[in-house]
């Protein structure tokens, strides 16, 4: 299977070819491996390649059977494969079991070919690490590819694989989806199980799914992995129809509130605002009602960030301590980057009272968002208020801030996305346009009320049909120029 043919298909399309016998599973796997080898040296999206083996557990009737796949270097573990969390502290760490989510990926027939770059312990929105080096944006390699699922998004955008695993704690699916020009949806809290080995990942802030070049691939993946476990801490009712079915069905006319500027008092850049405004006009042409709004968090921006910081730093500190114990390595400047050390130090001193205060803030913000959805179906914003920074710029403040200061820095870069994580609602980034000067993509973000992932898939499918984004390919592209 030639490269130019391989990149024409999304995951479902490749699976259909295999099922019809038009191409063999091994030919698809070989094409994906060749695509990774051809493009990865320029962007460093994949930190380790694996031989592609069809899982013994795979359901041959799966819509994703035989589809090339990558997993993020944290959030999911595969038996016998390294899981290094973007960190020297975890160097060589190799679990001897499959996590529950990995089992679901295998049942879906996905063929995992390696692990993708992530910032150290996922506490950043750029994937530039001391352990592996900077991962680059395939549209313009002078710029970062986002985070924390930057490697996966860069790999999908470059045509290495049609879809890849992703996690989202404060925007880590949607941010890299936006800056790499692909689709990414953070599911409702509880839609994808993190158990039984884990309970409330990052105090309930984390959701897992993936990034993809087409909406239907993400929908099919969520259909395959949204399997509730026994004794789950959260229960999210299953949809009335499959998520994949929702993609093909236009939504009813929606009431969409458009908030162009973030709640921290800054302004969205002109190039981003213009792109999102054009998409808003498209939505009106499609029959939706779009109205300018200013969503009230119910608390100050400073209180919102502070509450998130208690969860972020406390959980990071606990995670760092666990990895240090498992690897027998010390926690110091030789094993951790300065930002991670600062977050670890701050998190060690977060008290029970601090956590209770953060939970109180989460309640206020969740109630405020719930009240918003009494009048609107969707909250629309830019995914990011600015284009991504050039490689090396994001991490310059590492030696100038403490743990709280680092979280404040992260939230300044991405002030829109964390709302959905704190409240648990579904949220997605859909390509909206691109900057003509840098060629970098721009995404628009859509957030729905708790449990309404189907509404987002339906809207994304409609946008994809009306304004396809796969007509352009990046500078670094597995299909050639």
């Amino acid at each position: 299977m030639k490269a130019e043919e391989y990149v024409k298909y999304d995951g479902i399309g490749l699976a259909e070819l295999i099922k019809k016998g038009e191409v063999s599973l091994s030919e698809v796997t070989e094409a994906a491996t060749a695509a990774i080898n051809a493009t990865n040296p320029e962007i460093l999206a994949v930190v380790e390649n694996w031989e592609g083996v069809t899982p013994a557990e795979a359901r041959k009737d799966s819509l994703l059977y035989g589809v090339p796949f990558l997993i993020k270097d944290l959030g999911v573990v595969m038996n016998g494969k390294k899981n290094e969390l973007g960190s020297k502290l975890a160097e060589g760490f190799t679990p001897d079991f499959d996590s529950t989510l990995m089992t679901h990926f295998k049942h879906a027939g996905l063929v995992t070919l390696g692990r993708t770059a992530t910032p150290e312990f996922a506490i950043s929105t750029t994937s530039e690490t001391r352990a592996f080096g900077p991962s680059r944006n395939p549209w313009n390699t002078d710029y970062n590819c986002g985070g924390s699922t930057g490697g996966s998004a860069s790999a999908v955008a470059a045509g290495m694989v049609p879809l890849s695993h992703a996690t989202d704690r404060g925007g880590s699916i949607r941010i890299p989806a936006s800056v790499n020009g692909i689709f990414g949806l953070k599911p409702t809290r509880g839609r994808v199980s993190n158990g039984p080995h884990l309970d409330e990942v990052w105090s309930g802030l984390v959701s897992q799914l993936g990034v993809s070049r087409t909406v239907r691939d993400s929908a099919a993946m969520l259909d395959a992995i949204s399997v509730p476990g026994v004794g789950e801490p959260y229960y999210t009712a299953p949809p009335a129809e499959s998520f994949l079915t929702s993609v093909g069905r236009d939504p009813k006319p929606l009431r969409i509130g458009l908030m162009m500027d973030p709640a921290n008092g800054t302004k969205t850049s002109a190039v981003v605002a213009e792109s999102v405004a054009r998409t808003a006009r498209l939505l009106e042409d499609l029959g939706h009602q779009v109205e300018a709004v200013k969503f009230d968090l119910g608390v100050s921006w400073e209180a919102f960030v502070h509450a998130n910081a208690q969860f972020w730093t406390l959980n990071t500190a606990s995670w760092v301590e666990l990895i240090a114990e498992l690897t027998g390595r010390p926690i110091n400047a030789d094993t951790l980057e300065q930002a991670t050390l600062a977050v670890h130090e701050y998190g060690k001193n977060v008290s029970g009272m601090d956590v209770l205060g953060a939970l109180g803030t989460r309640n206020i913000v969740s109630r405020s968002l719930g009240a918003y959805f009494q009048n609107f179906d969707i909250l629309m914003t830019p995914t990011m208020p600015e284009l991504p920074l050039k490689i090396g710029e994001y991490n310059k403040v590492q030696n100038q801030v403490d743990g709280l200061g680092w979280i404040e820095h992260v939230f300044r870069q991405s002030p829109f996305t964390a709302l959905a994580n704190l409240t648990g609602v579904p949220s997605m980034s859909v390509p909206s346009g691109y900057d003509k000067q840098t060629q970098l993509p721009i995404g628009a973000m859509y957030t729905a009320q708790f449990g309404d992932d189907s509404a987002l898939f339906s809207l994304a499918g409609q946008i994809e049909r009306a304004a396809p984004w796969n007509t352009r390919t990046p500078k670094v592209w597995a299909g050639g120029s």
Side-chain angles (χ1 to χ4, degrees):
M1 190 177 200
K2 294 182 179 180
E4 56 268 28
E5 181 185 7
Y6 169 70
V7 296
K8 287 180 181 178
Y9 296 93
D10 64 358
I12 291 176
L14 289 170
E16 288 174 345
L17 291 179
I18 294 169
K19 190 172 295 184
K20 293 175 182 177
E22 295 181 19
V23 66
S24 70
L25 193 153
S26 62
E27 286 175 317
V28 172
T29 302
E30 288 167 7
T33 301
I36 294 170
N37 292 336
T39 56
N40 198 53
E42 293 186 74
I43 55 178
L44 196 59
V46 179
V47 297
E48 186 183 17
N49 295 39
W50 300 330
E51 181 182 354
V53 178
T54 308
E57 309 94 319
R59 299 191 307 270
K60 290 190 176 181
D61 62 344
S62 168
L63 292 176
L64 298 173
Y65 179 78
V67 174
F69 188 63
L70 295 163
I71 58 173
K72 187 176 180 178
D73 197 23
L74 55 76
V76 60
V77 299
M78 188 173 180
N79 184 17
K81 301 298 185 183
K82 291 179 183 177
N83 182 239
E84 296 179 311
L85 317 174
S87 177
K88 289 182 177 295
L89 183 66
E91 185 176 357
F93 178 61
T94 307
D96 59 0
F97 67 97
D98 286 337
S99 62
T100 300
L101 184 52
M102 192 70 236
T103 299
H104 293 328
F105 287 148
K106 287 185 173 182
H107 284 168
L110 294 164
V111 179
T112 305
L113 298 175
R115 56 192 172 103
T116 61
T118 179
E120 187 171 73
F121 284 85
I123 57 165
S124 176
T125 56
T126 185
S127 300
E128 304 173 57
T129 65
R130 191 174 65 184
F132 296 108
S135 297
R136 298 177 181 272
N137 195 304
W139 295 89
N140 187 330
T141 54
D142 290 336
Y143 291 83
N144 78 59
C145 60
S148 63
T149 314
S152 283
S154 180
V156 169
M160 296 183 192
V161 292
L163 70 165
S164 183
H165 164 246
T167 70
D168 195 314
R169 175 178 60 195
S172 294
I173 289 175
R174 293 156 289 155
I175 293 165
S178 173
V179 303
N180 288 281
I182 57 177
F183 176 76
L185 180 141
K186 181 203 85 69
T188 295
R189 180 181 294 151
R191 182 73 72 193
V192 177
S193 173
N194 290 304
H197 300 289
L198 299 172
D199 184 23
E200 297 182 80
V201 179
W202 242 253
S203 304
L205 270 59
V206 172
S207 294
Q208 302 200 58
L209 184 58
V211 288
S212 57
R213 291 200 300 275
T214 64
V215 178
R216 69 176 188 169
D217 274 359
S218 282
M221 180 157 54
L222 187 55
D223 282 329
I225 67 174
S226 56
V227 182
V230 175
E232 289 290 295
Y234 303 110
Y235 174 76
T236 305
E241 60 184 5
S242 72
F243 296 117
L244 183 58
T245 299
S246 296
V247 174
R249 176 180 48 76
D250 284 349
K252 63 179 176 63
L254 299 171
R255 299 166 298 168
I256 300 173
L258 172 59
M259 186 173 78
M260 193 65 79
D261 297 318
N264 64 357
T266 61
K267 300 287 288 185
T268 291
S269 68
V271 65
V272 172
E274 289 167 8
S275 177
V276 174
R278 283 195 300 272
T279 300
R281 291 192 291 272
L282 170 67
L283 292 172
E284 290 178 324
D285 291 341
L286 292 171
H288 304 296
Q289 176 186 331
V290 182
E291 177 183 334
V293 298
K294 186 174 182 180
F295 172 67
D296 183 2
L297 291 168
V299 298
S300 69
W301 175 254
E302 292 73 20
F304 176 76
V305 175
H306 186 269
N308 278 277
Q310 307 314 297
F311 297 130
W312 280 51
T313 61
L314 175 63
N315 282 279
T316 300
S318 175
W319 197 5
V320 165
E321 297 281 348
L322 173 62
I323 296 300
E325 180 182 346
L326 291 172
T327 62
R329 294 194 177 100
I331 299 170
N332 58 32
D334 292 328
T335 58
L336 290 178
E337 297 171 17
Q338 183 58 42
T340 315
L341 278 172
V343 168
H344 170 260
E345 186 62 31
Y346 184 95
K348 288 193 303 181
N349 296 305
V350 171
S351 69
M353 293 295 287
D354 294 327
V355 173
L356 286 175
L359 289 170
T361 298
R362 180 163 78 176
N363 178 61
I364 293 170
V365 175
S366 297
R367 304 289 178 172
S368 296
L369 186 58
Y372 168 86
F373 285 124
Q374 299 299 302
N375 299 307
F376 293 92
D377 301 300
I378 301 290
L379 175 62
M380 179 183 179
T381 67
T383 308
M384 299 286 284
E386 305 274 354
L387 298 174
L389 296 171
K390 286 190 172 182
I391 295 292
E393 291 296 315
Y394 191 105
N395 288 330
K396 282 184 176 179
V397 306
Q398 281 204 59
N399 297 321
Q400 304 166 18
V401 294
D402 64 3
L404 177 60
W406 177 256
I407 304 303
E408 291 170 341
H409 169 66
V410 172
F411 274 59
R412 277 195 299 274
Q413 305 306 311
S414 180
F416 290 111
T417 53
L419 173 65
N421 299 87
L422 194 68
T423 58
V425 300
S427 183
M428 66 180 181
S429 180
V430 180
S432 177
Y434 68 100
D435 173 46
K436 292 181 180 179
Q437 181 176 351
T438 63
Q439 298 301 303
L440 291 168
I442 296 166
M445 192 171 75
Y446 307 84
T447 301
Q449 61 186 322
F450 197 95
D452 210 0
D453 311 62
S454 295
L456 293 182
F457 275 122
S458 182
L459 178 60
Q462 185 183 42
I463 295 171
E464 186 179 36
R465 289 185 291 275
W469 50 82
N470 285 329
T471 56
R472 296 177 66 245
T473 56
K475 171 186 173 184
V476 180
W477 176 241
S481 57

